[in-house]
Amino acid sequence: MARVGRKVRDKRLLALIGAYLRAGVLVGETLEATAIGTPQGGPLSPLLANILLDDLDKELESRGHRFVRYADDLLILVRSHRAGERVMASVSRYLTKTLKLVVNTHKSRVVKTDDCEFLGFTFRGKKLRWSERAYQDFRHRLRKLTGRSWGVSMAYRLKKLSEYVRGWMGYFGISDYYRPIPELDHWLRRRIRLCDWKQWRGVRNRIRQLLALGSSKRAAI
């Protein structure tokens, strides 16, 4: 709130933000008070986080570090492992003592860029590719969207599938690695055909549907 107050002078707006921070969170069916931090998933949380972490950006800039930050994901580039250990220790002290934040020690580590994962991507020299975890999550989601037990129309299924695939490729399309995509495309089309086959039900209807798609009568039968 002190950092928001540097720019915002409107007391009503400050009071509204304060009320938002103290509103509490719903745990099961119980409303629990918010003792610290911002409610996770709230629309104001990312903005307040960026306002607070802007001080971190300026601190890293003043030290001359090369870094990239998205929300609370931070990557700092140094020349050696020893320098990395030193920088991580000093930045962790700044975060805990100056900004009063808690550093996730399980996710914070010093590694070579080839062993690093950032926002779903990994690095191979100068090449960028999606992480294995991101790819497996993609396959898992496609499997759910093409599950034959999902009782929806094919039009709705294809609409949701198209939205998800376009969104995924729009984000991960900058990858330099595409080798699994043709095989994945064949797998996805096969699963869609299985969904069609189940919904057609009955020999006569299946023959009629195949004829409508341009199959010869002999092949359809």
Side-chain angles (χ1 to χ4, degrees):
M1 287 305 299
R3 281 165 175 76
V4 174
R6 292 175 184 175
K7 297 285 186 180
V8 178
R9 304 301 180 195
D10 188 332
K11 292 184 178 179
R12 292 175 301 171
L13 179 56
L14 292 173
L16 182 62
I17 296 173
Y20 166 87
L21 292 173
R22 294 187 297 272
V25 291
L26 196 63
V27 180
E29 297 182 356
T30 307
L31 185 66
E32 296 187 4
T34 308
I36 191 171
T38 62
Q40 187 174 4
L44 192 57
S45 296
L47 176 60
L48 292 176
N50 270 325
I51 290 172
L52 180 60
L53 291 172
D54 185 59
D55 284 6
L56 173 63
D57 295 342
K58 289 181 169 55
E59 176 68 18
L60 294 175
E61 287 172 358
S62 69
R63 297 185 187 185
H65 289 311
R66 290 183 175 184
F67 71 96
V68 58
R69 180 180 68 80
Y70 183 87
D72 60 347
D73 285 324
L74 175 66
L75 193 65
I76 304 175
L77 302 172
V78 294
R79 293 187 179 277
S80 68
H81 191 276
R82 188 174 179 179
E85 295 283 1
R86 187 173 62 251
V87 168
M88 188 168 77
S90 64
V91 170
S92 295
R93 281 196 303 271
Y94 176 81
L95 288 169
T96 54
K97 294 184 177 180
T98 304
L99 297 186
K100 311 299 182 186
L101 296 172
V102 177
V103 177
N104 189 329
T105 55
H106 297 292
K107 292 184 177 180
S108 303
R109 57 196 184 120
V110 179
V111 294
K112 292 182 178 179
T113 51
D114 283 3
D115 300 321
C116 173
E117 182 179 332
F118 186 67
L119 302 179
F121 287 97
T122 57
F123 310 93
R124 294 292 181 270
K126 294 183 179 180
K127 299 286 187 180
L128 184 71
R129 59 172 63 183
W130 56 69
S131 68
E132 182 61 25
R133 181 171 59 179
Y135 179 68
Q136 292 304 326
D137 287 346
F138 182 46
R139 283 186 65 102
H140 178 70
R141 180 66 174 156
L142 291 179
R143 190 180 295 276
K144 288 186 67 176
L145 289 170
T146 54
R148 281 169 285 173
S149 60
W150 189 25
V152 296
S153 68
M154 280 301 293
Y156 181 79
R157 184 192 301 272
L158 292 174
K159 175 177 177 291
K160 301 308 289 184
L161 187 62
S162 176
E163 290 173 353
Y164 178 68
V165 171
R166 283 203 310 270
W168 197 90
M169 290 304 297
Y171 182 79
F172 287 101
I174 61 174
S175 172
D176 297 308
Y177 179 66
Y178 286 98
R179 186 174 297 173
I181 294 300
E183 180 187 349
L184 183 67
D185 182 58
H186 296 325
W187 173 78
L188 182 59
R189 289 171 184 271
R190 185 164 60 250
R191 288 186 64 84
I192 292 172
R193 287 197 295 271
L194 288 171
C195 292
D196 268 327
W197 195 248
K198 183 178 181 180
Q199 288 200 356
W200 287 348
R201 293 184 184 281
V203 175
R204 291 182 182 277
N205 186 44
R206 285 175 175 173
I207 292 174
R208 187 163 52 251
Q209 294 289 350
L210 289 170
L211 290 173
L213 290 173
S215 173
S216 68
K217 187 172 183 180
R218 183 183 182 85
I221 292 172

